[in-house]
């Protein structure tokens, strides 16, 4: 997995992560410290603060309701 962060010179940068175990790996913390990026971990079990979850939900509904769904009803 690749993390792409665009940091504007002279501006604080905050990397928001969920509490997934791999996000708390020493490599992530080391990289953030090296590039002077602050890490912010969201509360556990809080998908409502992860906007991507709304996109995934809409995509799942679209697939579920589309003709691409090959499961018999």
């Amino acid at each position: 997995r690749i993390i792409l962060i665009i940091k504007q010179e002279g501006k604080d940068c905050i990397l928001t992560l969920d509490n997934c175990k791999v996000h708390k790996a020493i490599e992530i913390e080391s990289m953030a410290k090296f590039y002077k990026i602050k890490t912010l971990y969201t509360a556990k079990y809080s998908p409502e603060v992860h906007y991507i979850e709304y996109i995934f939900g809409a995509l799942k509904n679209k697939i579920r309701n589309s003709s691409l769904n090959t499961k018999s009803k």
Side-chain angles (χ1 to χ4, degrees):
R1 201 174 259 200
I2 297 173
I3 299 173
L4 173 64
I5 300 170
I6 300 170
K7 186 172 190 244
Q8 195 172 5
E9 195 62 39
K11 301 279 185 177
D12 286 342
C13 185
I14 300 172
L15 177 61
T16 305
L17 302 162
D18 61 19
N19 282 287
C20 182
K21 191 174 181 178
V22 298
H23 294 160
K24 293 188 174 190
I26 192 69
E27 293 85 4
I28 299 293
E29 293 294 332
S30 296
M31 180 268 315
K33 189 174 182 178
F34 180 81
Y35 289 106
K36 297 182 176 118
I37 297 170
K38 297 174 184 173
T39 53
L40 174 66
Y41 293 96
T42 59
K44 289 184 179 183
Y45 309 110
S46 56
E48 67 278 356
V49 298
H50 303 288
Y51 296 111
I52 194 68
E53 297 297 336
Y54 293 108
I55 295 169
F56 289 153
L59 183 60
K60 286 178 188 177
N61 284 335
K62 189 163 183 80
I63 292 170
R64 193 177 297 124
N65 297 325
S66 75
S67 60
L68 295 176
N69 187 350
T70 58
K71 289 184 180 178
S72 55
K73 295 182 180 186

